[in-house]
Amino acid sequence: MALWRAYQRALAAHPWKVQVLTAAHPRRCPDNTCVPCIGSLMGLGDIISQQLVERRGLQEHQRGRTLTMMSLGCGFVGPVVGGWYKVLDRFIPGTTKVDALKKMMLDQDYPDALITNYYLWPAVQLANFYLVPLHYRLAVVQCVAVIWNSYLSWKAHRL
């Protein structure tokens, strides 16, 4: 709890710096708002996939694959997801149960991974949109995304 309170104080005092450190990517949007990057978490997900799920070992680890996942996170997923949460909040302001359900329904995506997605993300996002203030939502998603990215990396690179 003390760690959580310290995080909250730091986020309130220095929101941009804390989000940069949380996301490990100091990038600013054209509209001068912070666009956190989840590239490091996507890279971590790939490392977990290769080492713990696929059991490749360090000698057989595909560094290029990890860098590709990180690049996708920094260059595409991070900016898009950060922007998407702002769009959702503008279209559906509020944090009631109905608002959270509407946001969760709009937040879903594509076939094969979509089925697995339904086991994880609706519950995470429903809690996220209902219980978590806007400025903490990306941090919550980043934590869960480590698990999700491990799955996606494994799924995308199955032999």
Side-chain angles (χ1 to χ4, degrees), residues 23-24 37-51 61-74 77 142 145-151 153-154 157:
C37 173
I38 62 169
S40 57
L41 293 174
M42 289 184 70
L44 179 60
D46 181 68
I47 291 167
I48 290 170
S49 176
Q50 289 193 54
Q51 297 305 314
H61 187 87
Q62 296 174 347
R63 288 176 184 83
R65 174 178 144 178
T66 300
L67 288 173
T68 298
M69 293 295 285
M70 290 175 74
S71 297
L72 281 170
C74 287
V77 178
Q142 287 178 327
V146 171
I147 296 163
W148 180 245
N149 291 329
S150 297
Y151 165 75
S153 180
W154 170 79
H157 297 93

Side-chain angles (χ1 to χ4, degrees), residues 2-3 7 11 17 20 34-35 38 40 49 51 53 64 68 72 78 87-88 93 102 111 121 128-129 131 141:
L3 184 60
Y7 176 78
L11 187 61
K17 290 178 185 175
V20 165
C34 180
V35 177
I38 62 169
S40 57
S49 176
Q51 297 305 314
V53 178
T68 298
L72 281 170
V87 167
L88 278 177
K102 288 177 185 176
W121 286 111
N128 202 20
F129 293 132
L131 300 172
V141 169

Side-chain angles (χ1 to χ4, degrees), residues 15-145:
W16 187 80
K17 290 178 185 175
V18 170
Q19 288 205 354
V20 165
L21 290 173
T22 301
H25 182 61
R27 181 174 167 180
R28 301 285 265 179
C29 276
D31 66 354
N32 210 28
T33 60
C34 180
V35 177
C37 173
I38 62 169
S40 57
L41 293 174
M42 289 184 70
L44 179 60
D46 181 68
I47 291 167
I48 290 170
S49 176
Q50 289 193 54
Q51 297 305 314
L52 299 179
V53 178
E54 300 168 35
R55 300 188 187 279
R56 289 183 172 274
L58 295 176
Q59 301 290 14
E60 298 297 318
H61 187 87
Q62 296 174 347
R63 288 176 184 83
R65 174 178 144 178
T66 300
L67 288 173
T68 298
M69 293 295 285
M70 290 175 74
S71 297
L72 281 170
C74 287
F76 179 73
V77 178
V80 169
V81 171
W84 174 239
Y85 286 161
K86 289 176 186 173
V87 167
L88 278 177
D89 235 46
R90 260 187 257 131
F91 283 136
I92 307 170
T95 58
T96 66
K97 289 178 185 175
V98 173
D99 295 332
L101 186 60
K102 288 177 185 176
K103 290 175 188 177
M104 184 273 299
M105 294 298 286
L106 287 172
D107 189 54
Q108 304 308 304
D109 27 58
Y110 40 96
D112 196 21
L114 183 60
I115 293 167
T116 305
N117 168 68
Y118 285 132
Y119 289 110
L120 176 67
W121 286 111
V124 169
Q125 291 296 61
L126 193 57
N128 202 20
F129 293 132
Y130 182 61
L131 300 172
V132 180
L134 177 61
H135 57 282
Y136 294 130
R137 288 181 191 156
L138 189 56
V140 168
V141 169
Q142 287 178 327
C143 292
V144 177

